[in-house]
Amino acid sequence: MPRGKIPEKVEKRIEKLREDIRYHDYLYYVLNQPEISDEKYDRLLKELKNLEEKYPETVIPSSPTQRVGGQPLLGFPDVIHDPPMLSLDNTYDKEELLGFENKALRILGEGELEWVVEQKIDGVAVALTYENGFFMQGSTRGDGVVGDDITRNLKTIKSIPLCLLKDSRKYPYLEVRGEVFMPTRSFLSINKEREEKGEVPFANPRNATAGTLKQLDSTVVAERNLDIFIHSYSSAPESIKTHREALDFLKGIGFKVSPLREVVKGVSGAMSLIEEWSERRNKLNYQIDGLVLKINDLTTRKKLGATSRSPRWAVAYKYPAEKKKTKLKEIRISIGRTGIATPIALLEPVFISGTTVSRASLFNPDEIERKDIRVGDTIIVEKGGEIIPHIVGIVTEERDRNSKRYIFPRRCPVCGEKLIRPEGEVDFRCINLQCSAQIKGRILHFGSRNGMNIEGLGYVLVDQLVSNNIIADYADIYFLKKDDIVSLERMGGKSAENLLSEIEKSKRQSLERLIYSLGIPFVGAYNAKLLSNNFVSIDELMKVDKERLIEVEGIGGKTASAIIGFFSNKKNLEVIQKLRRAGVRMGGKEISKKRDLPFKDKRFVLTGTLKGYTRDEAKELIERLGGRVTGSVSKKTDWVVMGKDPGTKLDEAKKFGVTIIDEEEFKRLMKQK
Ligand code: IVH
């Protein structure tokens, strides 16, 4: 139906409903002060949905009905952050905070500074852009320069306004930045559910948030109850002079901003807040790992500027890792995919920094011996930023007098074969390649998030598939039938279908992921990337000799030998053949990751000193956009970027007729891309 045919009354009603719902969302999700009952709210939403269904041409992306939906994506496009998303200088030491302030004062030559103190939210940083009041794009921080476009996922977060409150339409462009987080209670209940379903629980709320934001299907995100606090902006209206005013302004136009934004005089004025929140933070329904101090006056901030990493006008004070006392119930040996036997401490569960801790890493046998850790001991466990907590000490006074030193087992607890400790190594290893723990580990690694990314191929499932002799290596998963899966515990028809479609989808993964997934010793994500940038397919990689491998910058002799060794193993070759038969992409230029990058196949040469970047930074930036930086000019060079005091490369560029650009042009070139 053409737009004209929609009765004016209907259009008005739709507009009014959207405005009301937006307002009630704000009251509920941002201010936490709802004015109407859930029932009334649902009625408004239902009415809007009905009208939009009847007049589908009225639907707009910012309608409150459009938070979730659409087909799952195949991937996330890149977003370039301009200005880059920096990180924060941080310290655990209060004295150092004063030092930070002194440094700023020296630069400014002023007497006193006013700071805004905020909570440092332990979540995932994102950037949101608004055009004429409408939410246009949301992205992850990524490496600070290039992030992922996760607009669809962010739209499901109810505290992110799809359309700003009324008068904000005055602002043609607005970019805000903040931290997405999963409330602790949601995290705990999601983990409980995951464990019941036999899925691997998330290590902490931050990982749960990051994992959720990486979902290609936004309906999954919508169920995870994510939330956000906005703490920064890259453009604020001219009339705003201080950070505090800016946050209040953002709150006024619909954003959920940093809940703590207290103005204090001097860093010394923040000390009592630091003390106060050290305890109070444990009562919050989200994780904070410190406080952030930011200079309030925006002109002063401009004067101070930033280093390439972090602003000189902000600093984070981080709380030291939390420690708790508990009992060590058992030491269990876990056999990884490479056969390494890792001791794990099973603990009497304790609640530390928002999560229940029931395991701690013991690293290796020497560590147990050195600390004389014994089963039954009362221990002190610490959880810092890292994922797995560790034991920092033993309360020897509480040790049972009859307790015995721990003796590391001599046989693999899974297959019963002897554990070997190779000369000069700290770890014991099970060297039986057919050990089921290793088989399971290799399959899990193959399907993992950085690997072929097969959602649903978790431990419980792999365990059953291997134990029931349905599969014996990772290539076998491509020959699974629905019946094989349905016959397993906790697997229904629907989940079997989902898994099969995930497996099917993984056949099209990039060469980089495939290389990583194979489980070649020493080839992790980084080396896999190097290899995929230098070889076009698995076949090429299989054929190259050690010399050629070492030519790749970053690949050393040990890794090269491991690669050669891997591809000379008959069993490995059989598995790769099986992958090929299954139709898994083995590479080839057409799937090169660089295909969509703006500088793909472009060669740059840098000469002289650049003002805004170090050599490494410029190189990284170019490479991230798909280009290459070479050391010398040839006729294949596309651009020579000239900084201050250029060298002989400039003459070479002229000789070959290569385009020479200065720093400004270089910046512009990147912006265009
Ligand atoms: S301001 C220039 N404020 O901490 C950096 N960051 O370690 C501006 N974070 O990447 C950041 N809470 O994602 C700021 N209240 C807060 C924050 C905060 C958490 C994150 C942020 C940043 C990271 C730096």
Side-chain angles (χ1 to χ4, degrees):
M1 199 195 297
R3 223 182 152 76
K5 292 264 176 68
I6 301 163
E8 209 185 307
K9 237 173 74 190
V10 173
E11 252 182 305
K12 281 235 165 77
R13 180 68 191 146
I14 288 179
E15 187 46 39
K16 172 86 171 78
L17 282 166
R18 284 182 187 152
E19 216 161 273
D20 286 354
I21 294 169
R22 213 171 279 146
Y23 176 66
H24 291 299
D25 276 345
Y26 177 64
L27 291 177
Y28 187 91
Y29 294 106
V30 176
L31 303 184
N32 213 355
Q33 289 165 349
E35 271 175 7
I36 57 169
S37 65
D38 289 1
E39 203 189 335
K40 259 196 176 147
Y41 176 88
D42 289 342
R43 234 181 289 144
L44 293 174
L45 199 61
K46 185 104 213 310
E47 188 186 340
L48 178 61
K49 269 190 193 150
N50 288 342
L51 284 174
E52 287 185 348
E53 236 161 67
K54 199 157 162 207
Y55 302 100
E57 57 279 48
T58 62
V59 179
I60 50 169
S62 64
S63 172
T65 58
Q66 302 300 302
R67 285 201 178 264
V68 199
Q71 286 293 312
L73 303 172
L74 291 174
F76 302 116
D78 285 349
V79 173
I80 296 175
H81 298 301
D82 181 20
M85 289 178 79
L86 301 178
S87 52
L88 286 171
D89 221 354
N90 64 58
T91 176
Y92 291 90
D93 185 306
K94 291 181 197 149
E95 287 297 314
E96 265 182 40
L97 278 184
L98 293 165
F100 187 88
E101 179 170 51
N102 284 335
K103 213 157 63 190
L105 287 171
R106 270 201 304 277
I107 299 174
L108 296 165
E110 279 176 36
E112 191 177 52
L113 287 171
E114 207 172 64
W115 298 84
V116 177
V117 182
E118 288 174 32
Q119 294 166 342
K120 185 169 190 316
I121 313 294
D122 195 8
V124 175
V126 298
L128 314 174
T129 57
Y130 286 79
E131 283 173 29
N132 301 315
F134 292 103
F135 177 46
M136 297 307 282
Q137 189 179 60
S139 50
T140 58
R141 176 179 185 275
D143 55 15
V145 178
V146 185
D148 287 338
D149 181 338
I150 52 160
T151 312
R152 283 259 294 263
N153 289 348
L154 292 174
K155 274 181 86 172
T156 67
I157 301 178
K158 302 278 194 17
S159 46
I160 293 183
L162 299 182
C163 172
L164 301 177
L165 298 181
K166 256 193 161 161
D167 60 342
S168 65
R169 312 245 173 107
K170 293 198 288 235
Y171 307 104
Y173 182 82
L174 187 68
E175 180 181 339
V176 297
R177 294 175 177 179
E179 209 75 4
V180 175
F181 62 94
M182 185 180 282
T184 314
R185 280 196 286 278
S186 309
F187 162 78
L188 292 174
S189 77
I190 286 169
N191 256 2
K192 193 158 160 254
E193 232 173 75
R194 283 177 81 87
E195 276 182 273
E196 278 164 10
K197 279 200 257 167
E199 292 169 356
V200 183
F202 290 114
N204 54 43
R206 182 177 8 91
N207 278 29
T209 310
T212 303
L213 289 177
K214 277 193 210 140
Q215 292 288 328
L216 293 168
D217 182 354
S218 68
T219 55
V220 178
V221 187
E223 288 162 5
R224 296 270 173 90
N225 197 30
L226 296 181
D227 205 342
I228 192 168
F229 284 124
I230 300 297
H231 52 57
S232 316
Y233 36 86
S234 70
S235 49
E238 288 254 315
S239 57
I240 287 174
K241 302 288 176 229
T242 65
H243 178 58
R244 170 66 205 230
E245 278 166 33
L247 289 178
D248 291 343
F249 158 77
L250 291 173
K251 183 172 175 188
I253 60 172
F255 290 106
K256 183 160 175 173
V257 298
S258 297
L260 175 73
R261 40 187 194 285
E262 203 158 317
V263 180
V264 297
K265 292 251 181 285
V267 158
S268 58
M271 296 303 172
S272 57
L273 282 169
I274 290 180
E275 291 304 319
E276 181 186 335
W277 283 97
S278 138
E279 274 308 310
R280 236 179 119 179
R281 70 189 178 118
N282 295 321
K283 298 197 182 77
L284 294 168
N285 190 24
Y286 50 88
Q287 307 285 303
I288 67 169
D289 54 352
L291 296 182
V292 184
L293 278 66
K294 303 175 180 175
I295 288 183
N296 197 15
D297 183 64
L298 299 184
T299 321
T300 311
R301 279 193 189 189
K302 265 216 190 87
K303 277 190 208 153
L304 285 170
T307 67
S308 63
R309 256 165 220 291
S310 50
R312 293 194 191 86
W313 45 260
V315 59
Y317 173 82
K318 299 239 271 192
Y319 290 113
E322 214 189 324
K323 296 186 184 110
K324 283 264 172 81
K325 207 161 102 167
T326 188
K327 263 212 152 49
L328 194 167
K329 291 195 303 190
E330 185 187 333
I331 294 178
R332 194 171 283 175
I333 307 299
S334 150
I335 304 291
R337 72 182 163 91
T338 57
I340 290 181
T342 312
I344 292 167
L346 301 191
L347 312 172
E348 204 76 70
V350 268
F351 199 69
I352 314 181
S353 317
T355 50
T356 307
V357 172
S358 50
R359 288 162 168 258
S361 145
L362 288 167
F363 302 106
N364 56 53
D366 288 351
E367 181 81 3
I368 305 179
E369 196 163 323
R370 196 172 56 78
K371 290 189 178 155
D372 187 16
I373 297 171
R374 304 182 184 192
V375 174
D377 274 351
T378 300
I379 50 108
I380 311 285
V381 60
E382 174 185 288
K383 212 180 96 200
E386 63 285 331
I387 298 160
I388 308 167
H390 63 278
I391 294 174
V392 285
I394 301 156
V395 187
T396 27
E397 310 87 82
E398 292 186 29
R399 172 170 280 172
D400 184 341
R401 272 206 276 131
N402 300 322
S403 84
K404 294 200 176 58
R405 280 190 90 92
Y406 178 73
I407 298 171
F408 206 84
R410 290 290 176 259
R411 288 195 171 273
C412 169
V414 179
C415 69
E417 284 286 322
K418 256 195 178 157
L419 291 178
I420 309 287
R421 174 138 65 169
E423 199 50 47
E425 282 194 19
V426 279
D427 292 310
F428 279 97
R429 272 171 198 269
C430 164
I431 51 163
N432 169 19
L433 283 175
Q434 295 316 310
C435 168
S436 71
Q438 289 187 50
I439 295 177
K440 288 171 198 167
R442 289 195 290 266
I443 299 171
L444 281 167
H445 174 78
F446 184 83
S448 67
R449 209 169 264 156
N450 287 332
M452 300 299 262
N453 195 16
I454 304 171
E455 172 103 17
L457 192 70
Y459 180 77
V460 175
L461 188 67
V462 171
D463 183 31
Q464 293 189 68
L465 288 169
V466 174
S467 304
N468 294 322
N469 295 323
I470 302 175
I471 60 175
D473 57 54
Y474 45 64
D476 286 344
I477 60 168
Y478 291 105
F479 298 91
L480 279 172
K481 299 273 169 308
K482 189 172 167 188
D483 287 347
D484 296 331
I485 307 169
V486 175
S487 68
L488 304 173
E489 266 173 55
R490 295 206 197 111
M491 289 300 282
K494 185 78 191 131
S495 21
E497 275 166 27
N498 286 346
L499 180 70
L500 287 174
S501 103
E502 278 287 319
I503 292 175
E504 188 59 32
K505 210 169 76 191
S506 75
K507 290 182 183 171
R508 298 188 298 271
Q509 285 293 15
S510 63
L511 178 62
E512 180 182 335
R513 282 177 177 271
L514 180 62
I515 295 174
Y516 171 86
S517 302
L518 295 179
I520 306 169
F522 308 114
V523 178
Y526 182 72
N527 282 345
K529 191 184 192 72
L530 292 180
L531 293 170
S532 71
N533 282 343
N534 284 277
F535 304 103
V536 295
S537 63
I538 293 288
D539 296 277
E540 191 186 344
L541 191 58
M542 277 161 75
K543 274 189 244 139
V544 293
D545 57 15
K546 194 171 166 190
E547 281 63 44
R548 174 68 190 96
L549 283 169
I550 297 173
E551 266 173 37
V552 176
E553 208 181 311
I555 300 284
K558 201 157 115 179
T559 309
S561 301
I563 297 168
I564 302 283
F566 184 88
F567 289 120
S568 353
N569 178 302
K570 202 165 143 252
K571 180 89 186 110
N572 290 343
L573 294 179
E574 275 169 26
V575 177
I576 291 172
Q577 259 326 98
K578 227 190 299 179
L579 288 175
R580 192 190 308 277
R581 253 190 291 129
V584 174
R585 271 207 214 176
M586 294 284 157
K589 272 227 153 60
E590 74 283 5
I591 63 145
S592 160
K593 257 202 101 181
K594 287 189 173 176
R595 184 187 43 183
D596 295 316
L597 293 172
F599 287 158
K600 178 178 152 45
D601 293 337
K602 296 287 181 223
R603 294 184 187 207
F604 286 74
V605 170
L606 305 171
T607 177
T609 321
L610 299 173
K611 273 193 300 226
Y613 319 83
T614 64
R615 246 326 139 84
D616 284 347
E617 281 165 1
K619 182 164 181 267
E620 217 182 308
L621 205 62
I622 292 168
E623 284 175 353
R624 242 181 255 138
L625 296 174
R628 266 215 282 166
V629 176
T630 55
S632 56
V633 184
S634 75
K635 56 181 191 298
K636 285 191 190 149
T637 309
D638 293 282
W639 284 291
V640 169
V641 185
M642 174 185 63
K644 204 169 157 262
D645 304 325
T648 51
K649 288 176 195 161
L650 196 63
D651 305 324
E652 286 166 25
K654 285 179 189 153
K655 191 170 88 194
F656 290 111
V658 175
T659 315
I660 302 166
I661 55 175
D662 64 12
E663 190 166 346
E664 282 312 306
E665 285 167 310
F666 173 59
K667 272 193 198 150
R668 238 174 292 140
L669 186 66
M670 279 189 302
K671 274 213 183 115
Q672 279 166 17
K673 297 294 171 181

